[in-house]
Amino acid sequence: AVRLHERVTVLANSATLSVGDSAGLLHQLGSLYYVQRKYAEAESLFRQALAVLDREPDAHDGGRAALLNNLGMLCGHTGRKTEAITLLEKALVVWERTLGPGHPNIARALTNLAGLYVAQGRYRDAEPLFKKALNIAETALGPENLLVAVVLMEKAVLLRKTDRKGEAKMFEQRARATRENQQNQHLGRGTIDVGDLQTFGEQPRGK
């Protein structure tokens, strides 16, 4: 792993790769460290990747938004929720500007941001974001898509925390049914989602 890290870092900083490819290599390795919960290494690589993209500030918006999202999720997992919210809000702005308001990545960003609000006890701020995310995901991808299940499960967490256990159960049941019906479906790994990894110290929920 150390040798791979060194090789990727050297390659990413070489003149032979484009800015986008260099940042992409650093981002991919950082995401691998993230999944392994090696947060310090992941954060360093994410920030290096953002610095690389800053060489061409008017390009690479998609990669920049994904990095901001993933760095925000990392900050949330490591207790820096205020910084995390700032990063996720920036990611959301970039995605809305470049992809339009109805793109699935907007639903991802809204769900991630709402999850942070829930972690801070900001339930009133979180609820409309979940509602918007669910509407986008269902419209863009269909009601049986796994991204819809992710939003449903995260909304159920909010409902349980606000003592609406009956509603939460219905959301959970629908999410589980969707996951069971779509076992061969996957969300991709361009961005880190609250449903993919352990959420802010809580026990992970299975897909």
Side-chain angles (χ1 to χ4, degrees):
V2 172
R3 288 195 297 271
L4 176 61
H5 187 148
E6 291 174 348
R7 288 178 61 189
V8 167
T9 303
V10 170
L11 184 59
N13 288 300
S14 73
T16 60
L17 291 180
S18 68
V19 165
D21 288 341
S22 295
L25 274 176
L26 293 167
H27 190 180
Q28 289 173 20
L29 183 58
S31 297
L32 177 60
Y33 277 129
Y34 192 110
V35 171
Q36 295 174 332
R37 301 184 184 180
K38 296 180 178 179
Y39 297 133
E41 293 90 340
E43 181 170 358
S44 175
L45 288 162
F46 287 162
R47 293 192 185 278
Q48 287 180 56
L50 283 170
V52 169
L53 292 182
D54 285 343
R55 298 174 193 167
E56 297 179 355
D58 296 325
H60 313 293
D61 280 339
R64 183 174 288 103
L67 273 163
L68 289 168
N69 174 86
N70 293 355
L71 183 58
M73 294 303 294
L74 186 152
C75 289
H77 278 277
T78 53
R80 292 168 287 163
K81 294 183 176 63
T82 299
E83 182 178 3
I85 286 173
T86 298
L87 289 164
L88 290 179
E89 287 174 343
K90 288 181 179 179
L92 181 59
V93 169
V94 175
W95 266 324
E96 286 182 329
R97 183 180 71 243
T98 58
L99 300 176
H103 193 277
N105 275 358
I106 306 300
R108 292 171 180 266
L110 288 167
T111 303
N112 291 343
L113 185 56
L116 271 169
Y117 285 157
V118 170
Q120 287 191 318
R122 295 171 57 181
Y123 304 134
R124 290 185 179 180
D125 293 327
E127 190 149 7
L129 299 189
F130 281 132
K131 182 178 181 180
K132 185 176 180 180
L134 185 59
N135 180 62
I136 292 170
E138 289 180 325
T139 301
L141 302 171
E144 298 303 317
N145 188 271
L146 283 182
L147 181 56
V148 174
V150 169
V151 182
L152 291 169
M153 288 300 289
E154 294 305 316
K155 175 67 179 292
V157 173
L158 167 64
L159 292 169
R160 287 195 176 278
K161 287 182 178 292
T162 53
D163 296 322
R164 290 176 282 173
K165 295 181 175 59
E167 291 180 70
K169 187 175 181 180
M170 288 189 292
F171 275 74
E172 290 162 351
Q173 288 174 339
R174 183 182 163 195
R176 283 195 292 269
T178 298
R179 287 172 170 173
E180 289 171 1
N181 291 335
Q182 304 291 342
Q183 290 182 3
N184 295 325
Q185 192 181 132
H186 62 87
L187 291 173
R189 286 295 175 265
T191 58
I192 295 169
D193 296 314
V194 286
D196 295 333
L197 299 167
Q198 185 175 349
T199 304
F200 310 121
E202 297 178 2
Q203 292 300 309
R205 291 175 292 279
K207 286 190 174 181

